[in-house]
Amino acid sequence: MNIRESTEQWEEAYLSPYAAFSKNTKGREREEEPCDIRTAYQRDRDRIIHCKAFRRLKHKTQVFLAPEGDHYRTRLTHTLEVSQIARTIAKSLRMNEDLTEAIALGHDLGHTPFGHSGEAILNEICSQGFAHYRQSVRVVEILEKNGMGLNLTWEVRDGILNHRTSGHPSTLEGAIVRLSDKIAYINHDIDDAIRAKMFVEEDLPGCYTDILGHSVRERLNNLIHDIINNSYKKNEIIMSSDMEAAMQGLRTWMFQHVYKNEIPKAEEGKAQKMIAMLFEFYMDHPDKLPQEYRYLMEKGTADKERAVCDYIAGMSDSYAIDRFEELFVPKAWKAI
């Protein structure tokens, strides 16, 4: 018996009967020889961590565009916080922590530069539409490894696709990530908004914080405990009704006072104009796309519009700015 087989045996003996066992995965689109050390989900986690799209998350906006300071969240730090929350819940419920971690680390791989502002403009100008959760799946199925994809298991891809609010993950591990994503962004976005001096903790509606907690630490602790206590030994991942209602109410308040506020959105118009101009340029000059995206068109994996969308969506904030300046800012201005 090798190490992987021993781990699979441990899963069957220790994990909840409602967990997704590695040996029972629905598998990959392309069959591969199993690793002798890692389970299928551990292998998926490692592939995500080592892929290019994961590294680019460190330079992609979470909420605040071009913030002044080093401590605002990026898409990468958001991903790590989701992973930590999700793993804590999964471990406590004896779910498959490796599957949970793989889904969490991969759930935002398809996000655009400049956060949801970038996603919104791409969805508007691309006739095929754009949604980051679908793009995240496209990244792992097609775009990584020069058009070969990461060949992840079905369960990880399902969890990535269904991490959105309206999603319905097929595994409890995916359901954990779906809730952990909301818990993470609501709380760390509050922290960042306070750092940006948009409001102070005491400005948050008491009808919600009296239930959830009066600090980021309290809210995280209470929400995580609530999910664990209400889901323990059950074939579902649920929250208590009052806690869920309070979290949803606070989320709505955040949309009104943070996500649509002029402070984080101050540079949104510029960012969206930048993306629109890049999109138009590459639609007119597809020969200027990097070879890997031209290859997608040659291979038939993408038409011109989708290849352009793939390229722009994969850009980091800084790379998008560099490409824009290279194409549209005269050399004379750069020299000044």
Side-chain angles (χ1 to χ4, degrees):
M1 179 182 296
N2 61 33
I3 295 174
R4 171 185 53 79
E5 291 169 335
S6 177
T7 302
E8 291 172 344
Q9 190 176 77
W10 175 89
E11 287 182 357
E12 290 191 314
Y14 176 78
L15 294 185
S16 163
Y18 307 121
F21 299 116
S22 300
K23 66 178 297 183
N24 294 336
T25 174
K26 292 184 180 180
R28 311 177 187 278
E29 289 191 339
R30 301 185 302 276
E31 287 191 21
E32 297 180 10
E33 186 71 25
C35 178
D36 63 331
I37 298 173
R38 298 166 296 168
T39 66
Y41 302 140
Q42 290 172 342
R43 203 175 192 183
D44 285 357
R45 173 205 58 206
D46 295 349
R47 289 179 179 183
I48 290 168
I49 288 176
H50 289 285
C51 77
K52 292 183 294 185
F54 185 78
R55 295 196 292 275
R56 291 196 298 266
L57 294 177
K58 70 177 179 177
H59 292 304
K60 292 195 177 191
T61 293
Q62 175 63 22
V63 171
F64 290 84
L65 298 177
E68 294 183 5
D70 294 331
H71 301 125
Y72 290 85
R73 270 69 172 190
T74 66
R75 192 61 59 177
L76 179 60
T77 58
H78 161 72
T79 294
L80 295 176
E81 289 183 37
V82 173
S83 176
Q84 180 271 317
I85 292 168
R87 287 177 58 201
T88 297
I89 296 171
K91 196 178 192 72
S92 299
L93 295 176
R94 293 192 293 123
M95 293 294 127
N96 194 312
E97 191 177 347
D98 297 321
L99 173 57
T100 305
E101 184 178 24
I103 295 170
L105 293 175
H107 83 280
D108 269 356
L109 290 178
H111 241 299
T112 60
F114 311 116
H116 286 286
S117 302
E119 180 177 20
I121 190 63
L122 274 185
N123 185 52
E124 179 182 324
I125 62 181
C126 180
S127 66
Q128 301 170 49
F130 182 90
H132 79 275
Y133 56 88
R134 287 198 295 266
Q135 189 70 11
S136 294
V137 175
R138 183 168 171 80
V139 166
V140 300
E141 288 186 341
I142 297 172
L143 300 182
E144 280 291 328
K145 295 184 69 174
N146 298 317
M148 293 295 293
L150 300 180
N151 198 30
L152 304 182
T153 57
W154 181 90
E155 292 79 7
V156 172
R157 288 180 285 128
D158 171 81
I160 291 173
L161 180 65
N162 288 288
H163 80 270
R164 64 197 188 280
T165 299
S166 59
H168 299 283
S170 299
T171 64
L172 296 189
E173 289 80 0
I176 289 172
V177 173
R178 178 178 167 274
L179 280 179
S180 298
D181 184 34
K182 295 180 183 62
I183 292 172
Y185 73 68
I186 289 172
N187 283 287
H188 66 48
D189 292 349
I190 288 173
D191 191 41
D192 281 353
I194 292 174
R195 179 171 290 106
K197 296 181 170 55
M198 295 176 64
F199 54 78
V200 295
E201 173 68 35
E202 290 72 24
D203 292 330
L204 296 173
C207 58
Y208 306 135
T209 57
D210 286 347
I211 297 171
L212 298 171
H214 294 282
S215 69
V216 170
R217 178 179 177 277
E218 282 186 20
R219 284 187 288 273
L220 287 173
N221 186 63
N222 291 339
L223 284 162
I224 291 169
H225 274 82
D226 185 80
I227 292 173
I228 292 170
N229 292 335
N230 285 278
S231 306
Y232 192 68
K233 293 187 177 180
K234 294 179 182 176
N235 191 18
E236 57 184 343
I237 304 300
I238 54 175
M239 301 172 67
S240 62
S241 58
D242 59 339
M243 192 72 75
E244 184 174 17
M247 186 176 78
Q248 182 58 43
L250 187 56
R251 180 174 180 267
T252 300
W253 188 90
M254 289 289 289
F255 269 95
Q256 296 169 348
H257 294 82
V258 177
Y259 304 133
K260 296 181 180 180
N261 186 281
E262 63 181 10
I263 294 177
K265 297 299 183 184
E267 302 295 320
E268 182 179 273
K270 295 178 184 178
Q272 292 188 331
K273 180 66 174 178
M274 189 185 306
I275 288 178
M277 291 177 68
L278 288 171
F279 184 86
E280 183 177 351
F281 174 84
Y282 287 112
M283 285 295 290
D284 292 339
H285 304 89
D287 57 303
K288 300 295 185 181
L289 288 170
Q291 175 58 40
E292 60 190 285
Y293 296 95
R294 299 200 302 273
Y295 173 72
L296 292 176
M297 292 189 287
E298 296 168 2
K299 186 181 176 184
T301 308
D303 59 19
K304 180 175 69 172
E305 185 182 61
R306 182 49 58 186
V308 170
C309 212
D310 287 338
Y311 178 44
I312 294 175
M315 293 179 177
S316 64
D317 294 17
S318 54
Y319 185 81
I321 292 171
D322 288 346
R323 296 286 72 70
F324 178 82
E325 290 182 345
E326 180 181 321
L327 294 170
F328 300 110
V329 178
K331 291 182 179 179
W333 282 104
K334 293 181 183 179
I336 296 177

